[in-house]
Amino acid sequence: MKYKNILFGVIALLFFGAIGCDTNIVDQNNLSSESGAVLSNEFSMDQMATAAETNSIIDGEYLLLFKGNKIPKGFSDDIEDKGGNIIYQHDSGFAYVSGLTSSQAEEMRARKDISELTANASFSLNLPNDAELSSEEAVASSTQNPAGSFFYARQWHYPAIDADQAWAAGYLGSEDVTFAILDGGIDYTNLDLSGLVDLSRSISFVPTDDALVDIYFPGRNYITDLQYHGTHVAATVASNGIIGAGTTSKTTLTGIKVCDVFGDCNFGAIFSGLLFASETGVDVANMSLGGGFLKAGNGNFVGFINSLMNTVRRAGVTVVVSAGNSAADLDKDGNIYNAFCDSPNVICVSATGPIASQSVNGPFTDVDAPAVYSNFGRSSIDVAAPGGNTGAPVWATCTQTSLVVPVCQTGNFIVGLSGTSMASPHVSGLAALIISQGTNNPGQVKSAILQSADDLGQNGTDKFYGKGRINVAKALGL
């Protein structure tokens, strides 16, 4: 059975071009399969490596840090007088502005109260190398048992980390623990996510996507996922367990849209999203995204990132990030700053997965094998988690508002993706379970995850596994 991509690409290109937004349209939906469909036209590994290390300056947008961690009086009036607009500002002294000319930015750079000013830049989301769409539609039936979800038989990734043992012991998470999913949005009405997403603490920093939501899904919240990536990540963190299981079942989610339907993200949106999360009581922020840039000549920007990450940590937010899908040795990255594994106070996650399976439901061979695409390196990788491999992807529900996989609009489908983006939310889910037991300091949460991991590869810190592959049951003392 073959599905074709929705024919909106030309319209979207004209629309985005009219408002001056650079776009990268990738045909991701040449869908055909025997037992499911394969999205065969995604980025190759070389293309992903190039995309992750190539940033595009966004005209007129700038990021500022003020000395003394304080926005001065009259700043908003100054920006308005210049014809600009404040997209977001935070009382830590951060501001994200648009509508300035380069000469106006240089004038501001000369101000004595500004410690850093840099142009905003975009990068491409590290999309999975391939994906599978199940040709079966889930039968909707409520369950309080994650292992009883319709597609659980193919979700090898939860037994691999002993999450099923934790569920059986009653560790399903707490609604008092809140996640921020910094990604391309969430399908918050999906069967697996309905009731779990707090829209009052959700926000979109992607106005181009907002316009498409108004066109295709009028009345929907702007965090609506028009792609598939964000919903897959969110449902891996927490799920109602109807279509597929999630690492937790009762955790509260917030959607912070920082990437558009084409997989373009930008630093201004990400930084604003992190700070927004920190001031709205979020406990864990999952960032299944990242890019790289040269350190040489960008020392101030590195300092900019590190300062913001420290602010987020002081607010009590545990930040979990994906290592990237370029099969790169991060110990030998030389002059490249890997955002965000090189940032302070984060948990950087590599990917594991089976090398073979006899069927879509297994049995699966060597589920802890390092994923062929995963970045690695002792200096960067903290811990490993299931991300999918040559033998099977990670499965989670598909957004029913996807313009990229339009068949998902027609029913309760599940999509299989492979990437470190899929590994990171397993760790985020474990962080939430640990926090629900009373450990909420980010440093202590990280230590609990690393110390309870199954030590694989070389003893101690391994270049692929870091401190090991996470073990949910062990981390909870089971």
Side-chain angles (χ1 to χ4, degrees), residues 210-433:
D210 300 347
L212 287 179
V213 171
D214 285 339
I215 293 171
Y216 289 100
F217 304 100
R220 293 269 308 199
N221 189 285
Y222 286 141
I223 69 158
T224 293
D225 182 7
L226 301 178
Q227 194 196 57
Y228 57 80
H229 190 273
T231 294
H232 192 285
V233 168
T236 303
V237 170
S239 171
N240 291 322
I242 297 173
I243 301 171
T247 308
T248 71
S249 300
K250 298 180 179 180
T251 311
T252 299
L253 298 169
T254 67
I256 300 180
K257 185 181 282 193
V258 297
C259 304
D260 67 20
V261 65
F262 304 109
D264 284 341
C265 319
N266 74 79
F267 287 106
I270 292 168
F271 297 157
S272 298
L274 273 173
L275 291 170
F276 177 83
S278 72
E279 66 181 356
T280 54
V282 163
D283 299 290
V284 183
N286 186 89
M287 297 169 61
S288 289
L289 47 82
F293 58 87
L294 294 176
K295 295 177 185 176
N298 287 302
N300 288 343
F301 191 46
V302 171
F304 196 107
I305 295 176
N306 293 348
S307 176
L308 288 174
M309 286 298 188
N310 287 330
T311 296
V312 172
R313 183 189 186 282
R314 286 194 294 270
V317 182
T318 297
V319 180
V320 184
V321 304
S322 55
N325 303 334
S326 303
D329 185 347
L330 301 183
D331 289 335
K332 300 178 180 179
D333 54 4
N335 193 34
I336 299 296
Y337 183 94
N338 295 287
F340 293 91
C341 277
D342 287 346
S343 305
N345 308 314
V346 303
I347 303 174
C348 176
V349 186
S350 62
T352 58
I355 59 174
S357 61
Q358 291 187 18
S359 74
V360 71
N361 292 333
F364 303 96
T365 302
D366 197 1
V367 295
D368 286 329
V372 294
Y373 53 80
S374 181
N375 288 352
F376 58 94
R378 290 183 181 85
S379 63
S380 297
I381 304 302
D382 291 306
V383 74
N389 207 351
T390 54
V394 168
W395 293 93
T397 191
C398 186
T399 175
Q400 292 183 319
T401 51
S402 179
L403 299 179
V404 176
V405 193
V407 69
C408 288
Q409 295 184 33
T410 67
N412 302 312
F413 289 93
I414 193 169
V415 63
L417 305 178
S418 293
T420 56
S421 285
M422 288 59 255
S424 178
H426 288 86
V427 179
S428 292
L430 173 54
L433 292 173

Side-chain angles (χ1 to χ4, degrees), residues 34-48:
E34 295 176 350
S35 62
V38 178
L39 282 66
S40 60
N41 290 337
E42 296 215 19
F43 289 152
S44 69
M45 290 303 171
D46 289 342
Q47 288 171 317
M48 283 193 290

Side-chain angles (χ1 to χ4, degrees), residues 93-162:
F94 169 80
Y96 171 25
V97 304
S98 64
L100 299 184
T101 65
S102 58
S103 60
Q104 288 172 332
E106 286 305 312
E107 287 179 19
M108 297 203 68
R109 192 190 304 274
R111 290 176 50 154
K112 293 182 179 180
D113 55 358
I114 292 179
S115 60
E116 302 288 352
L117 185 151
T118 184
N120 191 21
S122 66
F123 58 88
S124 295
L125 188 68
N126 244 347
L127 291 170
N129 188 47
D130 54 30
E132 298 178 29
L133 180 72
S134 173
S135 58
E136 306 168 69
E137 182 181 355
V139 175
S141 60
S142 179
T143 176
Q144 296 299 314
N145 172 26
S149 62
F150 188 82
F151 284 114
Y152 180 70
R154 67 188 62 182
Q155 291 184 300
W156 58 270
H157 33 107
Y158 295 120
I161 59 175
D162 289 343

